[in-house]
Amino acid sequence: MAKPVTLKELSKKEILLASGHRLCAGCGAPIVVKMVLLASDYPVIASNATGCLEVSSCISDYTAWKIPWIHNAFENAAATISGVETMYRSLKKQGKIDKEIKFIAFGGDGGTYDIGLQSLSGAMERGHDMLYICYDNGAYMNTGIQRSSATPFGADTTTRPAGSVVPGKTEQRKNLTKIMAAHNIPYAAQASPSHWADLVRKVRKALEIPGPKFMNIISPCNRGWRSRTDDAIMLSRLAVETCYWPLYEIENGVTKITFKPKEKKPIVDFLKPQGRFKHLFKPDSEELLRKIQEDIDREWERLQKEEACFSS
Amino acid sequence: MAKIVAVTGNEAVANALRQVNPDVCAAYPITPQTDMMQRFSSFVSDGKVKTELILVESEHSSMSACVGASAAGGRVITATSSQGLALMNEILYIASGTRLPIVMPVVNRALSAPLNIHGDHSDAMYARDTGWIQLWSENAQEAYDNTIQAFPIAEHIDIRLPVMICLDGFIISHSIERIEYLDDEQVQNFVGDFKQLYPLLDIQHPVSYGPLILPDYYMEFRRAQAEVNTKVSKVVLDVASDFEKLSGRKYGLFETYRLEDAEIGIVILNSAAGTTKDVIDEFRNKGIKAGLLKPRLYRPFPYEETGEALKHLKALCVLDRADCFGSSFGPVYSDIAASLYPFKDKPVLVNKIYGLGGRDYLPEHAEIVLNELVDIAETGKVKSYKEYIGVRE
């Protein structure tokens, strides 16, 4: 079990994603990456799916990565890190390397929920000792805010714009964290940069567990969410407090909710500051808002029941 | 001491891979490659190799894992055919662009649609411009020898490019032939140790692989890659020379057969070259000066040397076991035409497409082609610059 770490201790550690990267001001992704890398007490090698994080952090001849890092393509961050990890095991077995190294893959929701799902599923099933981190900003932000299977119902995107007859996205989000847990991997979790201690604790725990681990971390995108530049932490907190993005972990099949809001906030609190939901607040949209709230409530109920199954 | 065995092409290549003993192998089944990786997996299960296997869920992940493993720092292999190679397409360019010396036997098979599992060259031909080195093999012995030579070529410090070893599906992969194996120790000494430059696993010296390169430098990067390709021929010849000392078997950029004094000639890849050589002997016995050129290093293509070897002919036919739809001619024809273009005097050049989807290439097909070349050489008249042979009309 990883030792708990204090904010004071974290503040003394080296930031392994250097400033000077070219991600947008206020982007959630570098906050997530910095927290994940700070959490590790081990040297880390990372792979990165094509996407905002990748194109903005390593533009030749510059790199923001102070750790060994590889970008291969869009859909194969998991397969790529599985190759790195396998070479590590081979060389370790041969006595050519003796250090303890941890392997992390970073991908956005496009590279994880959609185009990279097969690669991720394969790597998880094969049991590589790796942690996959999805920074989920809920659309293809790098190519300009196109709809993904992580885009929430009702959101306005450039490929499913809210128009006079279509109210934005008309489908539910895919529940990727549960899909990953269904691979019977030892650890799957959801985290949020707003709850940094919870996030850091989960990463530290994951890195101590041998085998494949998955973490889904919400990552606000002010360009795509049409929110204020400095709202990333506030919005990720509202995502948690409205139970849009519950914080939980599934360890060896046992579900545990790691943060329960004292008072669950209405989903409109999360939706309202975001321009991508602006059309839902026009007259005659109450039905859509009611549906979104019902979906959130049902999923939250289900998660609590799953947790209760194991605590009785 | 060399050991003489009777084995299939797949078994011979699997044995070469065992003797090389790579660090990581990613494997995914596809006919007719499947039993090559099955055999290699048995070597892993029986502790005959130190290799760690990655049993991926697709060829796309196979090549993706190979890229990761190779960048991590070690010797990496995989193998495939046909649709598998097609599925890898995107990552083939990334492997070569990242200069990763991955070695991959490709058991040549037709591409779908229509679905067909039998031998032709459509797969490796589509991949000929992916930046990989391609070594083509007439028989199991050549496939074995090319596999061993692929490692020092790929890993040469001036090259660092991935290599495909091409052998004909079923015709070679599944036919039993007499071949000579080198000793394990000889192979080990021949390939030596491999040290990756800038391995990811060197955590003391962190490096970033796979940057974004914008218009300010992308073109310089590509030109550097093109320049590396100009150095491959020399390395292939040097490695062949070392290999000859070890095995007694001589390899070049291509093989010529009774070509020097020939008046008519055939250019043909892989297993069909054997059949063609027999028919050339028959024509020679009749007093007809026929010869053959069989490319071995097909990518990067040795244009100058090939053109030089063929320019004296009066008539030449390139037989392609793949077609390029929308282009006028088959892939090898286009390269041969380019290699001959600089010469003032050059043969009349025709193209035949043969053997697609495992259609047999028979001695009578070579006879028809050679007889037509005799006519062309005499009259200078060409019936057709390109046609399919061995096909129902």
Side-chain angles (χ1 to χ4, degrees):
Chain A
M1 195 63 209
K3 278 201 327 269
V5 63
T6 63
L7 188 58
K8 194 175 173 189
E9 286 166 330
L10 285 179
S11 71
K12 288 177 187 162
K13 292 181 82 173
E14 188 187 7
I15 302 280
L16 295 168
L17 184 76
S19 57
H21 61 71
R22 304 185 204 182
L23 283 152
C24 303
C27 172
I31 304 172
V32 167
V33 171
K34 282 180 210 173
M35 284 186 183
V36 168
L37 296 179
L38 269 182
S40 176
D41 287 336
Y42 300 94
V44 168
I45 299 179
S47 75
N48 200 165
T50 308
C52 289
L53 175 62
E54 171 269 322
V55 296
S56 304
S57 62
C58 187
I59 302 175
S60 187
D61 293 337
Y62 302 95
T63 182
W65 297 88
K66 296 187 177 182
I67 58 168
W69 175 90
I70 181 167
H71 158 244
N72 186 346
F74 190 9
E75 67 287 63
N76 62 2
T80 303
I81 204 73
S82 84
V84 179
E85 186 265 353
T86 306
M87 182 57 78
Y88 170 69
R89 274 188 287 116
S90 180
L91 298 185
K92 209 168 185 193
K93 182 177 75 181
Q94 296 173 52
K96 292 180 178 173
I97 193 164
D98 57 2
K99 290 190 180 66
E100 193 69 20
I101 301 175
K102 300 294 179 185
F103 300 90
I104 298 181
F106 290 103
D109 49 289
T112 308
Y113 283 67
D114 290 348
I115 200 168
L117 184 60
Q118 174 182 322
S119 173
L120 173 59
S121 174
M124 293 283 119
E125 184 274 334
R126 292 193 297 275
H128 296 279
D129 189 14
M130 59 177 274
L131 169 61
Y132 191 103
I133 303 271
C134 174
Y135 68 99
D136 180 348
N137 52 30
Y140 290 86
M141 299 309 186
N142 190 43
T143 43
I145 322 166
Q146 291 80 28
R147 167 223 197 265
S148 81
S149 65
T151 302
F153 177 90
D156 173 66
T157 57
T158 52
T159 47
R160 199 63 170 153
S164 54
V165 292
V166 174
K169 191 180 174 188
T170 47
E171 299 79 27
Q172 294 292 327
R173 277 183 296 154
K174 190 190 276 181
N175 193 329
L176 186 66
T177 309
K178 286 193 178 170
I179 293 169
M180 287 298 108
H183 285 65
N184 292 328
I185 56 175
Y187 191 73
Q190 278 193 183
S192 164
S194 56
H195 294 66
W196 65 268
D198 178 78
L199 187 155
V200 165
R201 185 188 62 77
K202 284 172 176 163
V203 171
R204 290 171 70 79
K205 186 177 195 174
L207 291 178
E208 291 300 327
I209 299 170
K213 287 83 60 179
F214 174 82
M215 281 180 66
N216 207 354
I217 305 180
I218 193 168
S219 178
C221 165
N222 55 59
R223 295 291 304 121
W225 292 17
R226 301 289 182 223
S227 54
R228 289 179 1 168
T229 312
D230 57 357
D231 274 355
I233 299 301
M234 183 272 279
L235 283 174
S236 56
R237 179 171 292 115
L238 281 171
V240 173
E241 291 175 347
T242 57
C243 296
Y244 169 86
W245 194 266
L247 302 183
Y248 67 101
E249 58 192 6
I250 303 176
E251 190 178 354
N252 295 318
V254 178
T255 303
K256 188 183 166 205
I257 299 169
T258 57
F259 175 82
K260 285 181 189 162
K262 283 197 186 76
E263 205 175 321
K264 182 161 155 271
K265 291 188 171 160
I267 191 62
V268 291
D269 287 7
F270 174 64
L271 305 181
K272 198 127 198 198
Q274 302 181 51
R276 62 175 171 160
F277 299 114
K278 193 171 61 184
H279 57 288
L280 300 179
F281 294 92
K282 285 182 183 160
D284 304 329
S285 298
E286 295 82 5
E287 192 51 41
L288 292 169
L289 285 174
R290 187 156 47 243
K291 177 181 159 37
I292 293 172
Q293 185 66 61
E294 280 169 10
D295 291 340
I296 299 281
D297 293 346
R298 190 182 58 247
E299 287 299 309
W300 177 238
E301 279 298 312
R302 186 179 292 170
L303 188 66
Q304 287 177 300
K305 279 180 190 162
E306 282 166 15
E307 183 189 45
C309 280
F310 295 107
S311 57
S312 58
Chain B
M1 278 300 292
K3 186 176 162 197
I4 295 166
V5 293
V7 295
T8 64
N10 273 349
E11 189 172 352
V13 173
N15 191 52
L17 296 173
R18 178 191 63 76
Q19 293 181 307
V20 170
N21 201 359
D23 299 303
V24 168
C25 169
Y28 192 77
I30 184 166
T31 306
Q33 169 275 118
T34 306
D35 90 307
M36 183 193 292
M37 286 290 102
Q38 282 178 188
R39 286 171 192 279
F40 190 80
S41 300
S42 294
F43 297 143
V44 175
S45 287
D46 294 335
K48 300 245 169 74
V49 285
K50 67 190 180 193
T51 314
E52 284 290 328
L53 272 181
I54 315 180
L55 299 174
V56 283
E57 84 297 333
S58 72
E59 289 91 351
H60 192 283
S61 285
S62 177
M63 189 45 61
S64 299
C66 283
V67 165
S70 183
R75 206 168 249 155
V76 179
I77 60 162
T78 183
T80 194
S81 296
S82 181
Q83 307 302 117
L85 188 66
L87 188 57
M88 286 178 184
N89 176 264
E90 181 195 23
I91 314 302
L92 294 179
Y93 286 90
I94 292 171
S96 60
T98 311
R99 307 280 300 276
L100 299 172
I102 298 159
V103 170
M104 174 166 70
V106 174
V107 184
N108 301 121
R109 168 186 143 179
L111 286 173
S112 194
L115 182 63
N116 178 292
I117 59 166
H118 290 277
D120 79 25
H121 300 160
S122 309
D123 53 4
M125 283 301 164
Y126 106 75
R128 69 192 185 282
D129 297 334
T130 54
W132 283 58
I133 294 168
Q134 288 190 342
L135 297 173
W136 291 68
S137 325
E138 179 178 330
N139 49 40
Q141 183 73 61
E142 289 191 10
Y144 172 82
D145 292 348
N146 279 339
T147 302
I148 293 166
Q149 291 175 71
F151 290 88
I153 295 168
E155 295 164 3
H156 192 283
I157 197 69
D158 292 342
I159 306 298
R160 298 283 162 140
L161 285 173
V163 179
M164 283 178 207
I165 302 103
C166 302
L167 59 148
D168 284 349
F170 290 108
I171 301 164
I172 300 304
S173 66
H174 285 62
S175 301
I176 293 176
E177 290 184 74
R178 173 203 181 278
I179 87 156
E180 292 182 24
Y181 280 158
L182 297 169
D183 291 339
D184 291 359
E185 202 184 335
Q186 286 179 304
V187 175
Q188 276 294 305
N189 290 336
F190 184 75
V191 299
D193 286 333
F194 167 59
K195 201 165 166 18
Q196 177 64 292
L197 294 168
Y198 313 114
L200 278 174
L201 287 170
D202 181 2
I203 50 170
Q204 304 302 329
H205 303 94
V207 287
S208 291
Y209 272 82
L212 172 69
I213 301 191
L214 294 169
D216 54 352
Y217 271 101
Y218 184 85
M219 199 156 165
E220 283 71 19
F221 185 90
R222 279 294 186 229
R223 184 180 60 184
Q225 199 178 342
E227 280 170 7
V228 170
N229 275 272
T230 64
K231 298 177 185 170
V232 174
S233 285
K234 182 186 180 304
V235 171
V236 167
L237 291 174
D238 289 347
V239 170
S241 165
D242 291 343
F243 190 78
E244 187 184 356
K245 284 175 206 145
L246 186 69
S247 66
R249 293 186 289 278
K250 190 171 173 57
Y251 286 92
L253 303 176
F254 45 77
E255 180 194 336
T256 57
Y257 186 76
R258 307 186 83 161
L259 187 66
E260 271 180 27
D261 67 336
E263 291 175 354
I264 59 170
I266 284 179
V267 172
I268 195 162
L269 279 164
N270 275 17
S271 63
T275 311
T276 309
K277 286 179 205 166
D278 274 357
V279 178
I280 283 172
D281 287 345
E282 287 171 22
F283 274 67
R284 282 277 177 174
N285 291 341
K286 290 190 277 187
I288 296 164
K289 289 185 172 174
L292 169 145
L293 184 145
K294 180 189 75 180
R296 174 180 178 243
L297 176 67
Y298 183 58
R299 280 295 179 272
F301 189 66
Y303 284 91
E304 287 176 26
E305 296 87 343
T306 306
E308 200 63 50
L310 295 169
K311 66 173 190 207
H312 65 284
L313 296 168
K314 289 180 180 163
L316 174 62
C317 178
V318 179
L319 281 103
D320 269 295
R321 204 165 206 153
D323 201 356
C324 298
F325 300 116
S327 160
S328 299
F329 296 101
V332 184
Y333 179 96
S334 298
D335 284 319
I336 297 296
S339 76
L340 287 167
Y341 185 78
F343 298 100
K344 189 164 173 287
D345 295 317
K346 49 188 168 255
V348 176
L349 191 59
V350 296
N351 190 201
K352 308 287 182 197
I353 308 294
Y354 76 100
L356 301 185
R359 175 65 50 88
D360 281 334
Y361 173 73
L362 301 170
E364 66 208 50
H365 295 135
E367 282 168 26
I368 291 166
V369 171
L370 286 167
N371 281 326
E372 190 178 318
L373 289 174
V374 169
D375 283 348
I376 293 172
E378 276 174 12
T379 64
K381 286 182 186 156
V382 175
K383 278 193 311 196
S384 163
Y385 280 98
K386 180 194 176 189
E387 67 176 348
Y388 278 52
I389 60 168
V391 65
R392 289 182 180 83
E393 294 301 341

